[in-house]
Amino acid sequence: MKILVHVCCAPCFAYVHKRLSEEGHDITGYWYNPNIHPYMEYKARRDALKKYSKLENVKIVYESYDFIEYLKMQLKNTEKPDRCLNCYYYRMKKTAEYARKENFDAFTTTLLVSTYQYHEGIKKIGEELSKKYGIKFYYEDFREGFNEGKAITKLYSLYRQQYCGCLISEWERFGGKKIDD
Ligand code: SF4
């Protein structure tokens, strides 16, 4: 199948790309992550993907960084799990629309690799978007490849992030909450 893969970061994409290519699928990556803040962090992650795609000769579509629109959406709900479910929907919706418009056979997301995300929520959103846009959602539990992705990252010396993406997640990761306690 010709599959459009939403890429959350190069380490997660490395495993999915390897796995789906081995199965004979034709893979195109789709970079759309306005949830990554601040901008220099966004750039570091995007550049890691550029480096990987060059080394592996894989096609990637780079979407714009609509940071303000994303923030407006996120500030309506800052608590987990809804904050994250909205964030997945925001990025996966655009992926499904693009896949439909460009006649891909299916779309999926590397969010399915992460052991830190709401896996069932991602699956549900994928299935919902599949019905809405009339395009197949390729589902696989990629979490078993989480460590393999990390190993590929090391091998290629790719940048690997320390927090999920948004400013709230950075604050949560580094203990900002404790300051207010
Ligand atoms: S923690 Fe991650 S998934 Fe959740 S809203 Fe922030 S960037 Fe999105």
Side-chain angles (χ1 to χ4, degrees):
M1 281 194 296
K2 198 178 151 206
I3 305 177
L4 185 69
V5 181
H6 166 254
V7 181
C8 64
C9 63
C12 290
F13 182 59
Y15 172 72
V16 175
H17 173 236
K18 181 174 172 276
R19 169 137 184 86
L20 295 181
S21 299
E22 278 169 2
E23 284 175 5
H25 297 296
D26 176 8
I27 301 305
T28 300
Y30 187 74
W31 173 259
Y32 180 58
N33 297 299
N35 60 310
I36 303 171
H37 318 148
Y39 178 70
M40 293 310 281
E41 175 72 19
Y42 171 84
K43 195 171 169 300
R45 297 189 199 186
R46 187 197 58 196
D47 291 351
L49 179 63
K50 283 188 175 173
K51 184 176 174 185
Y52 176 82
S53 65
K54 223 173 180 180
L55 287 164
E56 286 286 330
N57 194 26
V58 50
K59 297 162 277 181
I60 308 283
V61 175
Y62 291 93
E63 282 290 356
S64 58
Y65 184 52
D66 57 354
F67 169 66
I68 301 295
E69 284 308 308
Y70 176 87
L71 271 189
K72 283 183 195 162
M73 182 280 296
Q74 187 178 56
L75 290 174
K76 286 179 192 154
N77 199 334
T78 57
E79 295 299 321
K80 282 182 172 180
D82 288 357
R83 180 183 94 221
C84 298
L85 296 172
N86 291 343
C87 179
Y88 306 148
Y89 190 89
Y90 193 87
R91 293 179 280 162
M92 289 168 68
K93 176 177 179 280
K94 187 134 170 141
T95 311
E97 282 171 348
Y98 186 90
R100 174 91 177 113
K101 182 167 74 79
E102 298 298 325
N103 295 317
F104 281 84
D105 299 314
F107 75 101
T108 190
T109 174
T110 59
L111 290 165
L112 292 166
V113 176
S114 176
T115 52
Y116 295 107
Q117 305 295 346
Y118 297 101
H119 192 89
E120 287 306 314
I122 297 164
K123 187 180 176 197
K124 211 170 147 208
I125 289 168
E127 287 165 356
E128 194 182 318
L129 291 169
S130 169
K131 277 191 202 129
K132 185 170 179 186
Y133 291 101
I135 179 158
K136 186 179 165 62
F137 174 61
Y138 183 96
Y139 172 77
E140 194 173 317
D141 188 347
F142 291 122
R143 287 176 292 186
E144 65 182 42
F146 189 65
N147 287 331
E148 200 175 328
K150 279 207 269 186
I152 300 172
T153 307
K154 224 172 168 184
L155 181 72
Y156 284 160
S157 303
L158 298 174
Y159 174 75
R160 193 161 165 266
Q161 65 271 15
Q162 298 296 308
Y163 60 96
C164 186
C166 62
L167 282 179
I168 305 172
S169 66
E170 193 256 9
W171 178 60
E172 288 168 346
R173 166 71 176 78
F174 295 108
K177 268 187 168 172
K178 289 184 194 135
I179 293 168
D180 296 336
D181 287 345

